[in-house]
Amino acid sequence: MSGLLGATPYRPLTYDLMASDVIALIKHLNAFKAAIIGWSDGAIIGLKLAIRNPDQLSSLFALGRIVTLLVCTTFPTARYLSAILSGPAKSTRHCLPHGASMTIFLGQMEAMWASQPDLADRDLRSIKVRVWIAEGDHEEVIRRKDTLFIADSIPASGLLLQPEVSHLSFLQDPHQLPRTS
């Protein structure tokens, strides 16, 4: 795998690189298809998978995602990400490559956010996988009109506006997430 697990200070992170990691994992597990639930950057990775590897996905639940830098109301910063990682999601630190520091990781994330994502309208319109687009009704990162545009652009997609939660809805009310069983 090459993305987050293979990231180094000399190899920048990209959504395409991380999407290739997901495909490698699906193939490694000999899975026929995967149902993806992605939050924020994970949702962007899910959209990239739905566009470029639709045969590997059965469905996508994309929560709190952007498709271009122009739809971001509050540009994410290392401080924002660090606050998330210092709370309930701090277990993500064990996913960093051996010897990598949180400072390097946060720097790579900020560099990626400065130029990505780069999904075009035609990319969204090409999606044939079942997709749900979700957003908290108190979303502080993504503009509602852009969420509506994304949902309208993806053929036969569903739209879920989650009540009483923000960009961190998966932490604020995890019961609003889809169940798999």
Side-chain angles (χ1 to χ4, degrees):
M1 288 196 231
S2 57
L4 181 58
L5 298 178
T8 69
Y10 311 105
R11 186 171 189 187
L13 283 176
T14 67
Y15 291 110
D16 288 327
L17 192 59
M18 291 185 281
S20 71
D21 274 357
V22 174
I23 292 302
L25 178 62
I26 291 169
K27 289 179 179 178
H28 175 77
L29 296 172
N30 293 317
F32 178 65
K33 289 189 176 211
I36 303 289
I37 298 174
W39 166 70
S40 199
D41 289 328
I44 296 166
I45 293 165
L47 288 170
K48 288 210 169 252
L49 292 170
I51 293 163
R52 297 192 179 113
N53 302 89
D55 54 321
Q56 300 286 283
L57 270 63
S58 60
S59 60
L60 169 64
F61 184 85
L63 172 62
R65 90 286 26 91
I66 61 174
V67 292
T68 70
L69 293 175
L70 301 177
V71 300
C72 205
T73 60
T74 305
F75 189 74
T77 63
R79 196 171 94 186
Y80 178 81
L81 183 59
S82 186
I84 292 169
L85 294 176
S86 67
K90 68 182 173 188
S91 62
T92 344
R93 291 173 189 252
H94 76 278
C95 294
L96 293 175
H98 179 70
S101 75
M102 185 57 74
T103 303
I104 291 170
F105 170 68
L106 294 174
Q108 288 180 327
M109 292 300 291
E110 280 192 331
M112 183 178 72
W113 290 333
S115 63
Q116 298 176 45
D118 55 355
L119 297 173
D121 181 48
R122 71 179 180 282
D123 296 325
L124 297 173
R125 293 191 188 290
S126 75
I127 294 175
K128 304 294 184 234
V129 175
R130 283 189 336 221
V131 176
W132 275 92
I133 299 297
E135 171 183 299
D137 69 348
H138 290 84
E139 174 65 57
E140 69 276 26
V141 177
I142 297 144
R143 297 181 307 200
R144 176 74 46 82
K145 71 178 187 171
D146 296 307
T147 296
L148 297 174
F149 169 78
I150 293 165
D152 287 343
S153 296
I154 299 172
S157 66
L159 174 65
L160 173 62
L161 297 177
Q162 298 174 298
E164 302 300 319
V165 292
S166 73
H167 193 67
L168 299 174
S169 68
F170 73 100
L171 294 173
Q172 296 161 333
D173 190 353
H175 298 296
Q176 291 191 41
L177 294 177
R179 305 252 188 293
T180 57
S181 55

